[in-house]
Amino acid sequence: MPAHPRYVGYIAQSLDGYIATPDGGVGWLDPFNAALAECSCEDTGGYNAFIEEVDAVLMGRATYRQVMGWGWPYGDRAGYVLTHRHDYKGDHITAAGPIDGLRAAIEANGHQKVWIMGGGETQRAALDVGMFDEISIFVMPTILGDGLPCFAKGAQQNLTLKKSSQKPGGILQLDYDIAGSPAEAT
């Protein structure tokens, strides 16, 4: 059993770095998801293989509300919600609160692989406290022009590219290792 869980990212963004439209919509992803679904190739992004290994998900409160509007698609996986409210409750929430409390709860519950799924504020908070071990970013061949960024503003963080690959529909998958604390800005 590892000393701590692996914290991983797996997220789609537009070429200009947005994960959603300004109102939080993700319908712009539909044609790309359709291209992946129609492909008979073996590696279409690997979501099914990815999610099989995940035993918990960490998301922001807005993402949680959006996911619950669709219906919880994560089976019996534990849900952790980043929020300033310590008393935040809801279906599928194992713990809610600030990032340090969530990290402690995740590790106390013995999770092995945790998906830090966003949004941008959540991903930045996790990045800033050194929770991310690796991230896969799927760059969609579209420019939204405006929206919610993949990462909120913060300190520079250097990554190590492990692999890149092209997917159906012109999608580019970039897999990075993330180690250490945020880089010193120069």
Side-chain angles (χ1 to χ4, degrees):
M1 176 180 275
H4 70 84
R6 298 243 349 128
Y7 293 99
V8 298
Y10 187 96
I11 194 160
Q13 71 170 36
S14 63
L15 183 61
D16 53 348
Y18 298 112
I19 59 174
T21 58
D23 64 355
V26 293
W28 65 273
L29 288 168
D30 291 346
F32 305 109
N33 290 333
L36 289 171
E38 291 172 10
C39 178
S40 61
C41 49
E42 189 172 307
D43 183 18
T44 59
Y47 177 79
N48 290 335
F50 168 78
I51 198 69
E52 274 183 23
E53 296 179 357
V54 169
D55 62 348
V57 293
L58 170 64
M59 65 192 80
R61 191 174 64 207
T63 300
Y64 170 76
R65 286 194 310 258
Q66 185 176 42
V67 165
M68 291 308 292
W70 302 327
W72 187 258
Y74 307 115
D76 61 356
R77 289 170 186 85
Y80 294 86
V81 178
L82 180 66
T83 177
H84 296 291
R85 291 184 44 201
H86 294 275
D87 63 343
Y88 193 75
K89 303 273 186 236
D91 292 341
H92 306 284
I93 296 178
T94 301
I99 196 74
D100 289 332
L102 293 179
R103 183 182 211 168
I106 288 166
E107 293 180 9
N109 286 324
H111 295 294
Q112 299 297 302
K113 191 169 187 179
V114 180
W115 178 13
I116 301 169
M117 58 177 294
E121 296 285 337
T122 299
Q123 294 196 140
R124 171 51 67 183
L127 187 66
D128 286 349
V129 298
M131 281 175 76
F132 269 111
D133 293 299
E134 61 189 63
I135 188 167
S136 293
I137 297 179
F138 296 82
V139 180
M140 304 301 175
T142 190
I143 297 172
L144 292 179
D146 192 12
L148 304 177
C150 189
F151 290 95
K153 292 181 181 182
Q156 178 180 339
Q157 177 76 41
N158 295 327
L159 313 176
T160 301
L161 181 66
K162 293 189 316 186
K163 180 177 84 169
S164 65
S165 55
Q166 186 174 342
K167 304 297 177 198
I171 299 166
L172 181 62
Q173 180 178 346
L174 303 169
D175 297 325
Y176 293 98
D177 277 333
I178 304 173
S181 58
E184 295 281 328
T186 57

